[in-house]
Amino acid sequence: MPMGHTATAQAGSGGLTATEHRLANGLRVVLSEDHLTPVAAVCLWYDVGSRHEVKGRTGLAHLFEHLMFQGSGQVKGNGHFELVQGAGGSLNGTTSFERTNYFETMPTHQLELALWLEADRMGSLLAALDEESMENQRDVVKNERRQRYDNVPYGTAFERLTALAYPEGHPYHHTPIGSMADLDAATLDDARSFFRTNYAPNNAVLSVVGDIDPEQTLAWIEKYFGTIPSHDGKQPPRDGSLPEVIGGELREEVHEEVPARALMAAYRLPHDGTRECDAADLALTVLGGGESSRLHNRLVRRDRTAVAAGFGLLRLAGAPSLGWLDVKTSGGVEVAQIEAAVDEELARFAEEGPSPEEMERAQAQLEREWLDRLGTVAGRADELCRFAVLFGDPQLALSAVHRVLDVTAGEVRAAARAQLRPDNRAVLVYEPVESAEPADEAETDAADDTDAHEGADK
């Protein structure tokens, strides 16, 4: 049986506990009992994302996320979806800069099925991976890129801003979707090598949360995952460190068919997992987190120069995080007017910091978001995996709320003063252009229906 230890409830965890175990092949296992409802969540994080890719082969991590739903040694075609949904469960997978995850939420009595399915594709996916499935999913991913990036208003904003914020050659310079050229260039051998290197038990964390019997759950995990061999050929990701401040504003103007002018910006912020990152999160929440925020009150309510104004945080562990500003203008308002108001509000905040009421409201908002995540079996399973993969300790997930509430107003002000500055941002300005040939109604309807049949689309 696996070796492991039992954790006691930590301060700030709300009484939640988790136990940690490790199989002989290196698979890390995290279990958390919750008998409130008769369901169990299975979450599997692989320590591979777009930051592990090399130039000329971007998009492989995301492509492989799709390939993992195309059959394995004992499950053919779309069988993974069919078996889980037929048992009353739900499932999906996602890819980011820093990881690829797969997850199921099942009725308790179907937990064994989910574990068997995940083990089967971890241990035997190469038995089913062929040119046909490769071409099929290559086309699906390319179509996803068209629908979600290339052919929608502001669709390439995230890609453009990350390319500005992280210099050429940086592991976060490209986004997980990858480029069309690289997707076309990927070969079956590339995919097989990628799987062997990254989809090994010693490169993964498995969490199971919910109405479980830990002893029985561990027995199933050992039975299905224990014989899968480890792999030692993976190289660490390239160094993602950068100076704390960009040192000068980076700017790009985009002329496209968009509904309104827009100002978007990415500010370089502290790495995830640090107290400074939590302070920055609170600063962004006060400034742009909802309808009570400073930017919404200034731009949307008072000045009426914008129809939407928000500020959010993209947390990253292996590179500086990004503070993401997104403002859509109202009517014919010029972006320069919006930008001047934003800079005025950021400068005032850096000088004054948050008021006691703003601090209390921001901490309550982030506390609620954390408790919402930890309060569901699927959300808790995901967070336990995240902290295990990115920070080496799943127990940190259970005390994250406490760490946010421990940040002071002075630290929030210091975070804003240090990094919410014009010389520490990449800026994207959208200017609308007229369509030369407007699409007719039939063409628009057809475009809206393109992904209706893609049950496995992620």
mmCIF file of all heavy atoms in Angstrom, residues 108-144:
data_model
loop_
_atom_site.group_PDB
_atom_site.id
_atom_site.type_symbol
_atom_site.label_atom_id
_atom_site.label_comp_id
_atom_site.label_asym_id
_atom_site.label_seq_id
_atom_site.Cartn_x
_atom_site.Cartn_y
_atom_site.Cartn_z
ATOM 1 N N THR A 108 -20.870 8.792 -5.507
ATOM 2 C CA THR A 108 -19.864 8.086 -4.713
ATOM 3 C C THR A 108 -19.645 6.651 -5.179
ATOM 4 O O THR A 108 -18.502 6.181 -5.275
ATOM 5 C CB THR A 108 -20.283 8.082 -3.232
ATOM 6 O OG1 THR A 108 -20.345 9.440 -2.778
ATOM 7 C CG2 THR A 108 -19.287 7.325 -2.380
ATOM 8 N N HIS A 109 -20.729 5.949 -5.501
ATOM 9 C CA HIS A 109 -20.584 4.534 -5.850
ATOM 10 C C HIS A 109 -19.934 4.328 -7.223
ATOM 11 O O HIS A 109 -19.648 3.203 -7.603
ATOM 12 C CB HIS A 109 -21.946 3.825 -5.811
ATOM 13 C CG HIS A 109 -22.913 4.278 -6.867
ATOM 14 N ND1 HIS A 109 -23.594 5.469 -6.798
ATOM 15 C CD2 HIS A 109 -23.294 3.690 -8.040
ATOM 16 C CE1 HIS A 109 -24.362 5.599 -7.871
ATOM 17 N NE2 HIS A 109 -24.201 4.530 -8.643
ATOM 18 N N GLN A 110 -19.673 5.421 -7.962
ATOM 19 C CA GLN A 110 -19.014 5.322 -9.267
ATOM 20 C C GLN A 110 -17.574 5.837 -9.220
ATOM 21 O O GLN A 110 -16.932 6.006 -10.262
ATOM 22 C CB GLN A 110 -19.806 6.107 -10.319
ATOM 23 C CG GLN A 110 -21.201 5.580 -10.573
ATOM 24 C CD GLN A 110 -21.198 4.271 -11.355
ATOM 25 O OE1 GLN A 110 -20.140 3.727 -11.684
ATOM 26 N NE2 GLN A 110 -22.380 3.759 -11.658
ATOM 27 N N LEU A 111 -17.048 6.080 -8.027
ATOM 28 C CA LEU A 111 -15.687 6.596 -7.902
ATOM 29 C C LEU A 111 -14.663 5.665 -8.535
ATOM 30 O O LEU A 111 -13.738 6.117 -9.224
ATOM 31 C CB LEU A 111 -15.351 6.818 -6.424
ATOM 32 C CG LEU A 111 -13.890 7.164 -6.089
ATOM 33 C CD1 LEU A 111 -13.451 8.440 -6.803
ATOM 34 C CD2 LEU A 111 -13.714 7.302 -4.578
ATOM 35 N N GLU A 112 -14.810 4.385 -8.341
ATOM 36 C CA GLU A 112 -13.840 3.440 -8.876
ATOM 37 C C GLU A 112 -13.744 3.559 -10.398
ATOM 38 O O GLU A 112 -12.658 3.439 -10.980
ATOM 39 C CB GLU A 112 -14.191 2.008 -8.478
ATOM 40 C CG GLU A 112 -13.154 0.982 -8.933
ATOM 41 C CD GLU A 112 -13.503 -0.443 -8.540
ATOM 42 O OE1 GLU A 112 -14.620 -0.677 -8.034
ATOM 43 O OE2 GLU A 112 -12.647 -1.329 -8.760
ATOM 44 N N LEU A 113 -14.882 3.785 -11.049
ATOM 45 C CA LEU A 113 -14.887 3.921 -12.508
ATOM 46 C C LEU A 113 -14.015 5.098 -12.943
ATOM 47 O O LEU A 113 -13.212 4.973 -13.879
ATOM 48 C CB LEU A 113 -16.316 4.117 -13.009
ATOM 49 C CG LEU A 113 -16.473 4.481 -14.493
ATOM 50 C CD1 LEU A 113 -15.934 3.364 -15.388
ATOM 51 C CD2 LEU A 113 -17.938 4.786 -14.824
ATOM 52 N N ALA A 114 -14.147 6.241 -12.273
ATOM 53 C CA ALA A 114 -13.362 7.418 -12.644
ATOM 54 C C ALA A 114 -11.870 7.156 -12.460
ATOM 55 O O ALA A 114 -11.050 7.546 -13.305
ATOM 56 C CB ALA A 114 -13.802 8.624 -11.822
ATOM 57 N N LEU A 115 -11.493 6.501 -11.374
ATOM 58 C CA LEU A 115 -10.088 6.192 -11.134
ATOM 59 C C LEU A 115 -9.543 5.245 -12.192
ATOM 60 O O LEU A 115 -8.419 5.422 -12.691
ATOM 61 C CB LEU A 115 -9.916 5.607 -9.736
ATOM 62 C CG LEU A 115 -10.212 6.565 -8.577
ATOM 63 C CD1 LEU A 115 -10.223 5.815 -7.252
ATOM 64 C CD2 LEU A 115 -9.194 7.705 -8.525
ATOM 65 N N TRP A 116 -10.329 4.243 -12.551
ATOM 66 C CA TRP A 116 -9.896 3.302 -13.584
ATOM 67 C C TRP A 116 -9.707 4.004 -14.923
ATOM 68 O O TRP A 116 -8.715 3.754 -15.635
ATOM 69 C CB TRP A 116 -10.909 2.162 -13.722
ATOM 70 C CG TRP A 116 -10.604 1.247 -14.859
ATOM 71 C CD1 TRP A 116 -9.645 0.275 -14.907
ATOM 72 C CD2 TRP A 116 -11.259 1.227 -16.147
ATOM 73 N NE1 TRP A 116 -9.659 -0.341 -16.138
ATOM 74 C CE2 TRP A 116 -10.634 0.218 -16.919
ATOM 75 C CE3 TRP A 116 -12.305 1.953 -16.711
ATOM 76 C CZ2 TRP A 116 -11.026 -0.081 -18.216
ATOM 77 C CZ3 TRP A 116 -12.706 1.663 -18.007
ATOM 78 C CH2 TRP A 116 -12.064 0.660 -18.749
ATOM 79 N N LEU A 117 -10.636 4.897 -15.264
ATOM 80 C CA LEU A 117 -10.538 5.610 -16.539
ATOM 81 C C LEU A 117 -9.286 6.488 -16.591
ATOM 82 O O LEU A 117 -8.575 6.508 -17.602
ATOM 83 C CB LEU A 117 -11.792 6.469 -16.748
ATOM 84 C CG LEU A 117 -13.061 5.731 -17.154
ATOM 85 C CD1 LEU A 117 -14.281 6.642 -17.011
ATOM 86 C CD2 LEU A 117 -12.959 5.194 -18.572
ATOM 87 N N GLU A 118 -9.021 7.224 -15.521
ATOM 88 C CA GLU A 118 -7.834 8.080 -15.516
ATOM 89 C C GLU A 118 -6.554 7.245 -15.581
ATOM 90 O O GLU A 118 -5.594 7.609 -16.265
ATOM 91 C CB GLU A 118 -7.820 8.976 -14.271
ATOM 92 C CG GLU A 118 -8.843 10.100 -14.292
ATOM 93 C CD GLU A 118 -8.582 11.138 -15.368
ATOM 94 O OE1 GLU A 118 -7.569 11.034 -16.098
ATOM 95 O OE2 GLU A 118 -9.400 12.074 -15.500
ATOM 96 N N ALA A 119 -6.526 6.126 -14.866
ATOM 97 C CA ALA A 119 -5.340 5.272 -14.903
ATOM 98 C C ALA A 119 -5.153 4.639 -16.271
ATOM 99 O O ALA A 119 -4.023 4.487 -16.749
ATOM 100 C CB ALA A 119 -5.452 4.188 -13.831
ATOM 101 N N ASP A 120 -6.250 4.291 -16.922
ATOM 102 C CA ASP A 120 -6.133 3.637 -18.221
ATOM 103 C C ASP A 120 -5.500 4.559 -19.251
ATOM 104 O O ASP A 120 -4.640 4.136 -20.032
ATOM 105 C CB ASP A 120 -7.507 3.163 -18.709
ATOM 106 C CG ASP A 120 -7.398 2.245 -19.923
ATOM 107 O OD1 ASP A 120 -6.735 1.194 -19.803
ATOM 108 O OD2 ASP A 120 -7.957 2.580 -20.982
ATOM 109 N N ARG A 121 -5.902 5.829 -19.242
ATOM 110 C CA ARG A 121 -5.302 6.699 -20.253
ATOM 111 C C ARG A 121 -3.908 7.158 -19.854
ATOM 112 O O ARG A 121 -3.084 7.419 -20.715
ATOM 113 C CB ARG A 121 -6.216 7.877 -20.591
ATOM 114 C CG ARG A 121 -6.632 8.790 -19.494
ATOM 115 C CD ARG A 121 -7.578 9.838 -20.076
ATOM 116 N NE ARG A 121 -8.117 10.740 -19.068
ATOM 117 C CZ ARG A 121 -8.981 11.700 -19.348
ATOM 118 N NH1 ARG A 121 -9.390 11.901 -20.598
ATOM 119 N NH2 ARG A 121 -9.452 12.478 -18.398
ATOM 120 N N MET A 122 -3.618 7.237 -18.548
ATOM 121 C CA MET A 122 -2.242 7.523 -18.156
ATOM 122 C C MET A 122 -1.319 6.380 -18.567
ATOM 123 O O MET A 122 -0.200 6.604 -19.037
ATOM 124 C CB MET A 122 -2.117 7.739 -16.641
ATOM 125 C CG MET A 122 -0.680 7.996 -16.179
ATOM 126 S SD MET A 122 -0.441 7.971 -14.378
ATOM 127 C CE MET A 122 -1.067 9.575 -13.919
ATOM 128 N N GLY A 123 -1.770 5.148 -18.410
ATOM 129 C CA GLY A 123 -0.909 4.004 -18.654
ATOM 130 C C GLY A 123 -0.920 3.460 -20.056
ATOM 131 O O GLY A 123 0.025 2.769 -20.466
ATOM 132 N N SER A 124 -1.984 3.774 -20.852
ATOM 133 C CA SER A 124 -2.091 3.087 -22.147
ATOM 134 C C SER A 124 -2.591 3.968 -23.277
ATOM 135 O O SER A 124 -3.061 3.455 -24.288
ATOM 136 C CB SER A 124 -3.022 1.877 -22.006
ATOM 137 O OG SER A 124 -4.353 2.290 -21.746
ATOM 138 N N LEU A 125 -2.481 5.283 -23.153
ATOM 139 C CA LEU A 125 -2.996 6.139 -24.225
ATOM 140 C C LEU A 125 -2.276 5.886 -25.542
ATOM 141 O O LEU A 125 -2.884 5.942 -26.616
ATOM 142 C CB LEU A 125 -2.865 7.610 -23.839
ATOM 143 C CG LEU A 125 -3.508 8.528 -24.885
ATOM 144 C CD1 LEU A 125 -4.855 9.029 -24.409
ATOM 145 C CD2 LEU A 125 -2.611 9.703 -25.236
ATOM 146 N N LEU A 126 -0.979 5.598 -25.491
ATOM 147 C CA LEU A 126 -0.220 5.416 -26.728
ATOM 148 C C LEU A 126 -0.731 4.244 -27.549
ATOM 149 O O LEU A 126 -0.538 4.204 -28.770
ATOM 150 C CB LEU A 126 1.263 5.226 -26.412
ATOM 151 C CG LEU A 126 2.001 6.473 -25.908
ATOM 152 C CD1 LEU A 126 3.478 6.180 -25.718
ATOM 153 C CD2 LEU A 126 1.812 7.649 -26.860
ATOM 154 N N ALA A 127 -1.413 3.294 -26.900
ATOM 155 C CA ALA A 127 -1.968 2.162 -27.638
ATOM 156 C C ALA A 127 -3.077 2.598 -28.586
ATOM 157 O O ALA A 127 -3.359 1.911 -29.580
ATOM 158 C CB ALA A 127 -2.506 1.111 -26.663
ATOM 159 N N ALA A 128 -3.712 3.732 -28.292
ATOM 160 C CA ALA A 128 -4.818 4.210 -29.122
ATOM 161 C C ALA A 128 -4.455 5.431 -29.962
ATOM 162 O O ALA A 128 -5.220 5.819 -30.844
ATOM 163 C CB ALA A 128 -6.019 4.544 -28.236
ATOM 164 N N LEU A 129 -3.305 6.035 -29.708
ATOM 165 C CA LEU A 129 -2.941 7.254 -30.421
ATOM 166 C C LEU A 129 -2.428 6.919 -31.816
ATOM 167 O O LEU A 129 -1.411 6.242 -31.979
ATOM 168 C CB LEU A 129 -1.867 8.005 -29.636
ATOM 169 C CG LEU A 129 -1.401 9.350 -30.219
ATOM 170 C CD1 LEU A 129 -2.560 10.316 -30.347
ATOM 171 C CD2 LEU A 129 -0.299 9.943 -29.347
ATOM 172 N N ASP A 130 -3.136 7.385 -32.847
ATOM 173 C CA ASP A 130 -2.735 7.126 -34.224
ATOM 174 C C ASP A 130 -2.936 8.379 -35.060
ATOM 175 O O ASP A 130 -3.368 9.427 -34.563
ATOM 176 C CB ASP A 130 -3.518 5.944 -34.808
ATOM 177 C CG ASP A 130 -5.033 6.129 -34.735
ATOM 178 O OD1 ASP A 130 -5.498 7.298 -34.595
ATOM 179 O OD2 ASP A 130 -5.763 5.126 -34.810
ATOM 180 N N GLU A 131 -2.608 8.276 -36.341
ATOM 181 C CA GLU A 131 -2.701 9.435 -37.228
ATOM 182 C C GLU A 131 -4.128 9.964 -37.323
ATOM 183 O O GLU A 131 -4.349 11.171 -37.404
ATOM 184 C CB GLU A 131 -2.187 9.067 -38.629
ATOM 185 C CG GLU A 131 -0.684 8.857 -38.709
ATOM 186 C CD GLU A 131 0.107 10.157 -38.658
ATOM 187 O OE1 GLU A 131 -0.519 11.235 -38.557
ATOM 188 O OE2 GLU A 131 1.350 10.094 -38.714
ATOM 189 N N GLU A 132 -5.107 9.063 -37.316
ATOM 190 C CA GLU A 132 -6.506 9.490 -37.449
ATOM 191 C C GLU A 132 -6.934 10.358 -36.272
ATOM 192 O O GLU A 132 -7.513 11.436 -36.456
ATOM 193 C CB GLU A 132 -7.421 8.271 -37.553
ATOM 194 C CG GLU A 132 -8.893 8.653 -37.742
ATOM 195 C CD GLU A 132 -9.795 7.439 -37.841
ATOM 196 O OE1 GLU A 132 -9.278 6.304 -37.810
ATOM 197 O OE2 GLU A 132 -11.022 7.632 -37.951
ATOM 198 N N SER A 133 -6.657 9.915 -35.031
ATOM 199 C CA SER A 133 -7.041 10.713 -33.871
ATOM 200 C C SER A 133 -6.230 12.001 -33.804
ATOM 201 O O SER A 133 -6.742 13.058 -33.399
ATOM 202 C CB SER A 133 -6.867 9.902 -32.590
ATOM 203 O OG SER A 133 -5.535 9.471 -32.421
ATOM 204 N N MET A 134 -4.978 11.940 -34.242
ATOM 205 C CA MET A 134 -4.131 13.134 -34.250
ATOM 206 C C MET A 134 -4.707 14.192 -35.194
ATOM 207 O O MET A 134 -4.848 15.366 -34.828
ATOM 208 C CB MET A 134 -2.720 12.749 -34.688
ATOM 209 C CG MET A 134 -1.729 13.891 -34.720
ATOM 210 S SD MET A 134 -1.051 14.267 -33.101
ATOM 211 C CE MET A 134 0.210 15.463 -33.573
ATOM 212 N N GLU A 135 -5.057 13.784 -36.398
ATOM 213 C CA GLU A 135 -5.612 14.729 -37.369
ATOM 214 C C GLU A 135 -6.968 15.252 -36.920
ATOM 215 O O GLU A 135 -7.277 16.434 -37.084
ATOM 216 C CB GLU A 135 -5.726 14.068 -38.742
ATOM 217 C CG GLU A 135 -4.398 13.818 -39.423
ATOM 218 C CD GLU A 135 -3.575 15.089 -39.538
ATOM 219 O OE1 GLU A 135 -4.123 16.142 -39.947
ATOM 220 O OE2 GLU A 135 -2.373 15.051 -39.204
ATOM 221 N N ASN A 136 -7.781 14.380 -36.342
ATOM 222 C CA ASN A 136 -9.101 14.778 -35.872
ATOM 223 C C ASN A 136 -8.994 15.881 -34.832
ATOM 224 O O ASN A 136 -9.671 16.917 -34.924
ATOM 225 C CB ASN A 136 -9.832 13.552 -35.312
ATOM 226 C CG ASN A 136 -11.169 13.920 -34.688
ATOM 227 O OD1 ASN A 136 -11.224 14.344 -33.547
ATOM 228 N ND2 ASN A 136 -12.239 13.715 -35.443
ATOM 229 N N GLN A 137 -8.150 15.694 -33.833
ATOM 230 C CA GLN A 137 -8.050 16.670 -32.750
ATOM 231 C C GLN A 137 -7.241 17.898 -33.145
ATOM 232 O O GLN A 137 -7.464 18.985 -32.617
ATOM 233 C CB GLN A 137 -7.468 16.007 -31.509
ATOM 234 C CG GLN A 137 -8.411 15.020 -30.867
ATOM 235 C CD GLN A 137 -9.803 15.596 -30.646
ATOM 236 O OE1 GLN A 137 -9.971 16.571 -29.917
ATOM 237 N NE2 GLN A 137 -10.813 15.013 -31.299
ATOM 238 N N ARG A 138 -6.329 17.739 -34.100
ATOM 239 C CA ARG A 138 -5.638 18.926 -34.633
ATOM 240 C C ARG A 138 -6.674 19.866 -35.249
ATOM 241 O O ARG A 138 -6.644 21.075 -35.039
ATOM 242 C CB ARG A 138 -4.599 18.504 -35.667
ATOM 243 C CG ARG A 138 -3.652 19.633 -36.072
ATOM 244 C CD ARG A 138 -2.994 19.378 -37.421
ATOM 245 N NE ARG A 138 -2.477 18.038 -37.579
ATOM 246 C CZ ARG A 138 -1.215 17.673 -37.306
ATOM 247 N NH1 ARG A 138 -0.375 18.558 -36.830
ATOM 248 N NH2 ARG A 138 -0.815 16.428 -37.516
ATOM 249 N N ASP A 139 -7.597 19.315 -36.004
ATOM 250 C CA ASP A 139 -8.641 20.134 -36.621
ATOM 251 C C ASP A 139 -9.563 20.761 -35.579
ATOM 252 O O ASP A 139 -9.998 21.907 -35.718
ATOM 253 C CB ASP A 139 -9.461 19.286 -37.599
ATOM 254 C CG ASP A 139 -8.688 18.932 -38.856
ATOM 255 O OD1 ASP A 139 -7.665 19.590 -39.134
ATOM 256 O OD2 ASP A 139 -9.100 17.984 -39.557
ATOM 257 N N VAL A 140 -9.882 19.998 -34.522
ATOM 258 C CA VAL A 140 -10.733 20.526 -33.451
ATOM 259 C C VAL A 140 -10.063 21.725 -32.776
ATOM 260 O O VAL A 140 -10.695 22.754 -32.533
ATOM 261 C CB VAL A 140 -11.053 19.433 -32.412
ATOM 262 C CG1 VAL A 140 -11.705 20.037 -31.163
ATOM 263 C CG2 VAL A 140 -11.980 18.372 -33.012
ATOM 264 N N VAL A 141 -8.776 21.605 -32.474
ATOM 265 C CA VAL A 141 -8.063 22.688 -31.801
ATOM 266 C C VAL A 141 -7.938 23.902 -32.715
ATOM 267 O O VAL A 141 -8.092 25.050 -32.272
ATOM 268 C CB VAL A 141 -6.678 22.214 -31.326
ATOM 269 C CG1 VAL A 141 -5.861 23.382 -30.791
ATOM 270 C CG2 VAL A 141 -6.824 21.144 -30.244
ATOM 271 N N LYS A 142 -7.678 23.677 -33.989
ATOM 272 C CA LYS A 142 -7.597 24.801 -34.928
ATOM 273 C C LYS A 142 -8.947 25.506 -35.032
ATOM 274 O O LYS A 142 -9.008 26.743 -35.108
ATOM 275 C CB LYS A 142 -7.124 24.302 -36.294
ATOM 276 C CG LYS A 142 -5.655 23.892 -36.309
ATOM 277 C CD LYS A 142 -5.275 23.154 -37.575
ATOM 278 C CE LYS A 142 -5.316 24.046 -38.784
ATOM 279 N NZ LYS A 142 -4.821 23.341 -40.001
ATOM 280 N N ASN A 143 -10.027 24.733 -35.017
ATOM 281 C CA ASN A 143 -11.348 25.334 -35.055
ATOM 282 C C ASN A 143 -11.639 26.104 -33.770
ATOM 283 O O ASN A 143 -12.244 27.182 -33.793
ATOM 284 C CB ASN A 143 -12.411 24.253 -35.260
ATOM 285 C CG ASN A 143 -13.752 24.839 -35.654
ATOM 286 O OD1 ASN A 143 -13.827 25.733 -36.498
ATOM 287 N ND2 ASN A 143 -14.816 24.353 -35.041
ATOM 288 N N GLU A 144 -11.167 25.565 -32.646
ATOM 289 C CA GLU A 144 -11.319 26.282 -31.377
ATOM 290 C C GLU A 144 -10.581 27.612 -31.416
ATOM 291 O O GLU A 144 -11.080 28.633 -30.924
ATOM 292 C CB GLU A 144 -10.779 25.420 -30.231
ATOM 293 C CG GLU A 144 -10.861 26.091 -28.868
ATOM 294 C CD GLU A 144 -10.282 25.229 -27.756
ATOM 295 O OE1 GLU A 144 -10.168 24.004 -27.922
ATOM 296 O OE2 GLU A 144 -9.932 25.808 -26.699
#
